[in-house]
Amino acid sequence: MGTTTRSRRARRNASAMRMVGALLALYREAAGHTQRSLGEIFVVGEQQIASIEQGRRPLKPDLAEQLDELLNTRGALSTVLSRMPEVDLVPQWAEEFLDREREAIVISSYENQVLPGLLQTDAYAEAVFRSRVPVYDEDEIAQLVAARIERQTILQGKEPPITSFVIWEPVLRAPIGGKRVWVEQLRHLRTCSELPGLMLQALPLNRATHASLDGAFVLLETPDHQRLAYTENHRGSQLIADPDEVAILTQKCAMLRSQALTPEDTRDLLDRLLGEQ
């Protein structure tokens, strides 16, 4: 999706995040809890508690308040969290999604506005960010593009996640950035479509039925098999953990896959689009 992001080095102050994590670990141990027992109490999992304590994942305000109450810290975690410096372009509401995406073992998405960030070329990503209103300055655009490309390393790892992308056909045909950028992007999609464990499907424009007229979304499965969903709108986003809500989007995703072209037919479509140039 079009998540606003940049490199991990420039995200929320790393030293401050480690400080908050160390403080949580101190209070947790003093209260006699393990990472697992604390994760079970708040239904977030041992791995998430470990990530927060290591400074790799931000502690959210609502969880900080609950931890303060359970660990009897007199508001210490909430207070230090409210004093953390903001030094980056990553909206707080997007941070946890980026962390979860990085560790996910399965990623599925439907896109109907722009190509998935994980499949964008540098030039296409730059064109997307240049289209923003209000506009970014040149430094911000450079940082955002670099971060988007960095996210794509998860597809090149030793054990990449299983990925499934359904893209509405008009998105494939939209010449974002101009013809040269668009053709380069189509070639990149064609290459990505051959990656092991990656399924790329186009949802044809001539479909009489459409399972997600409500818009784009992403589904994630974490290493501990928690299923999450992520949606965006003009002014924010939502990371959804409620099983019933995630189940609805999972059903939409399954229906979209059945309505879309097969991966083989999608490759043929990309070949035709490239052949017309």
Side-chain angles (χ1 to χ4, degrees):
M1 301 179 74
T3 307
T4 300
T5 173
R6 57 190 292 201
S7 70
R8 278 177 283 176
R9 291 187 301 274
R11 289 175 58 201
R12 182 182 295 275
N13 186 286
S15 296
M17 286 180 63
R18 286 194 295 270
M19 178 191 68
V20 171
L23 196 60
L24 171 57
L26 178 68
Y27 288 134
R28 171 182 60 75
E29 292 171 356
H33 283 285
T34 64
Q35 292 176 342
R36 173 174 294 183
S37 67
L38 202 60
E40 289 175 348
I41 290 173
F42 293 103
V43 199
V44 297
E46 178 182 3
Q47 188 171 34
Q48 182 168 335
I49 297 297
S51 294
I52 294 172
E53 291 186 357
Q54 293 162 12
R56 294 187 293 107
R57 174 176 294 165
L59 176 61
K60 302 301 183 187
D62 56 344
L63 181 56
E65 291 179 3
Q66 296 174 56
L67 287 166
D68 278 331
E69 182 175 351
L70 175 70
L71 303 177
N72 194 28
T73 65
R74 300 183 179 181
L77 292 172
S78 297
T79 299
V80 72
L81 195 64
S82 69
R83 302 292 192 272
M84 284 183 67
E86 296 284 353
V87 295
D88 63 355
L89 297 177
V90 181
Q92 187 171 5
W93 39 259
E95 287 181 334
E96 186 169 3
F97 166 72
L98 297 177
D99 288 329
R100 294 303 185 98
E101 179 189 65
R102 188 175 298 111
E103 69 183 18
I105 60 174
V106 180
I107 301 174
S108 305
S109 77
Y110 166 65
E111 297 292 345
N112 65 349
Q113 296 294 328
V114 296
L115 293 171
L118 292 175
L119 301 180
Q120 293 179 11
T121 63
D122 298 54
Y124 185 95
E126 179 178 340
V128 169
F129 289 124
R130 287 192 183 280
S131 299
R132 180 184 185 261
V133 178
V135 298
Y136 288 120
D137 65 38
E138 292 301 313
D139 287 342
E140 289 173 329
I141 290 173
Q143 293 165 347
L144 290 164
V145 171
R148 178 148 296 179
I149 301 308
E150 182 192 33
R151 283 173 59 199
Q152 298 174 7
T153 59
I154 66 175
L155 300 179
Q156 308 295 334
K158 294 178 64 176
E159 296 183 10
I162 299 298
T163 49
S164 171
F165 303 95
V166 177
I167 303 170
W168 197 30
E169 185 178 341
V171 177
L172 296 175
R173 294 182 176 274
I176 302 296
K179 184 174 181 179
R180 182 186 62 80
V181 171
W182 176 57
V183 170
E184 177 190 18
Q185 177 65 70
L186 288 179
R187 291 196 182 105
H188 180 65
L189 285 177
R190 184 63 176 81
T191 299
C192 289
S193 72
E194 301 283 359
L195 290 174
L198 189 151
M199 183 167 62
L200 179 63
Q201 295 180 264
L203 183 67
L205 181 58
N206 62 4
R207 283 289 315 183
T209 56
H210 190 309
S212 190
L213 293 174
D214 292 333
F217 60 88
V218 178
L219 298 173
L220 303 175
E221 183 177 344
T222 69
D224 56 0
H225 303 294
Q226 181 182 17
R227 288 176 170 80
L228 304 168
Y230 179 77
T231 61
E232 288 183 353
N233 57 43
H234 283 278
R235 300 303 301 157
S237 71
Q238 184 179 17
L239 186 65
I240 304 166
D242 180 82
D244 292 336
E245 295 297 321
V246 174
I248 291 172
L249 290 175
T250 300
Q251 293 166 11
K252 286 179 180 285
C253 187
M255 186 63 73
L256 285 167
R257 288 173 181 164
S258 70
Q259 295 171 345
L261 299 177
T262 66
E264 293 76 16
D265 288 342
T266 298
R267 283 193 283 269
D268 289 343
L269 172 61
L270 292 173
D271 289 339
R272 291 197 299 274
L273 292 174
L274 287 166
E276 294 169 1
Q277 306 313 310

